[in-house]
Amino acid sequence: MSPPVIVPVIHAVTDDLILSQRGFLLRARAVMHALGARGAVHLRARAVTGARLHALALALRPAAERTGCWLVVNDRLDVALAAGADGVQLTSRSMTVADAHAVIAGAASPDGGRAIAIGASVHTSDDARIAAHAGADWCVAGHVFPTRSHPGEPPRGVPLISTIVQAVAIPCLAIGGVRPEHLAALRAAGAHGAAAISGIWGADDAERAATDYLSAYDARHDEPGTPGVAGSGVAP
């Protein structure tokens, strides 16, 4: 039996704009250095070609190996496998978790090397149950707080995380407008960790921002869940 996957607690997720910015690879390597083995950098983009995504993944692979930070490719299992990524994040646009396992099994090396880990993006406890039953190693749930990436859509709030944590045994990470000050409430709800987009990449110093998320995750709070519960801040 394979050992359980130790899922990183802070995930820095990109989008098309972030990937297109000058100096992205330098910033991504700095974020990987800051997060180390407790973090993951997700290459997520809808408009970027598979070839470009593969090139970016290959360029970041040495930093991932050096720092221990996971390299995760969203949606494109083929790119994740070809680049030797640590994980793939499957969404509603992707193949199912079960189908991904079949592909991974078919691509496994003869020496039984470490298999790529699978995450699933979910919006309900039912989604999470389906993903967990199919063998997902973690789920990312949202959107939890207000975010400009979902204009006009009400946030699902911290109760979404509580509901999913009660429904499945796999780690659950919160996404959607998550800032460092929200970590106490999310951890009190049972979240394994959080994923951030603009909270890290939108900062002037992405490396420092990544460190701030880890520090907030580790901070002791006498009244867990008090800071940031309302999620009044809006971030993409």
Side-chain angles (χ1 to χ4, degrees):
M1 180 180 294
S2 301
V5 174
I6 300 175
V7 179
V9 296
I10 301 298
H11 293 226
V13 181
T14 69
D15 59 20
D16 289 284
L17 178 61
I18 293 164
L19 291 184
S20 69
Q21 290 172 346
R22 179 176 297 180
F24 166 72
L25 287 174
L26 288 175
R27 298 182 79 208
R29 292 183 183 113
V31 168
M32 286 179 154
H33 178 267
L35 294 177
R38 302 181 69 205
V41 167
H42 287 230
L43 295 179
R44 185 188 73 164
R46 294 191 175 189
V48 172
T49 65
R52 174 61 175 159
L53 204 59
H54 182 246
L56 288 170
L58 287 180
L60 291 177
R61 185 67 238 167
E65 294 173 351
R66 183 173 62 253
T67 63
C69 182
W70 279 24
L71 176 63
V72 177
V73 177
N74 282 43
D75 188 42
R76 296 294 299 269
L77 176 58
D78 57 338
V79 173
L81 288 170
D86 299 286
V88 61
Q89 180 74 34
L90 301 178
T91 71
S92 59
R93 302 170 63 242
S94 313
M95 66 174 62
T96 66
V97 173
D99 286 342
H101 271 294
V103 172
I104 292 168
S109 59
D111 62 1
R114 176 187 174 286
I116 189 171
I118 300 176
S121 298
V122 303
H123 300 98
T124 67
S125 57
D126 285 342
D127 290 345
R129 288 189 190 96
I130 292 170
H133 182 73
D137 295 298
W138 76 90
C139 65
V140 175
H143 65 288
V144 176
F145 300 107
T147 165
R148 283 191 290 269
S149 64
H150 292 81
E153 296 182 27
R156 294 174 173 87
V158 175
L160 170 68
I161 303 303
S162 301
T163 301
I164 290 176
V165 167
Q166 292 169 15
V168 299
I170 61 174
C172 175
L173 295 103
I175 193 171
V178 178
R179 297 179 177 182
E181 59 265 30
H182 296 138
L183 267 295
L186 292 170
R187 292 201 67 188
H192 176 77
I197 304 174
S198 68
I200 291 177
W201 305 110
D204 291 335
D205 187 336
E207 183 176 8
R208 173 62 182 272
T211 301
D212 289 343
Y213 274 87
L214 276 180
S215 297
Y217 182 90
D218 291 334
R220 294 183 60 183
H221 298 273
D222 293 333
E223 297 181 9
T226 300
V229 174
S232 56
V234 177

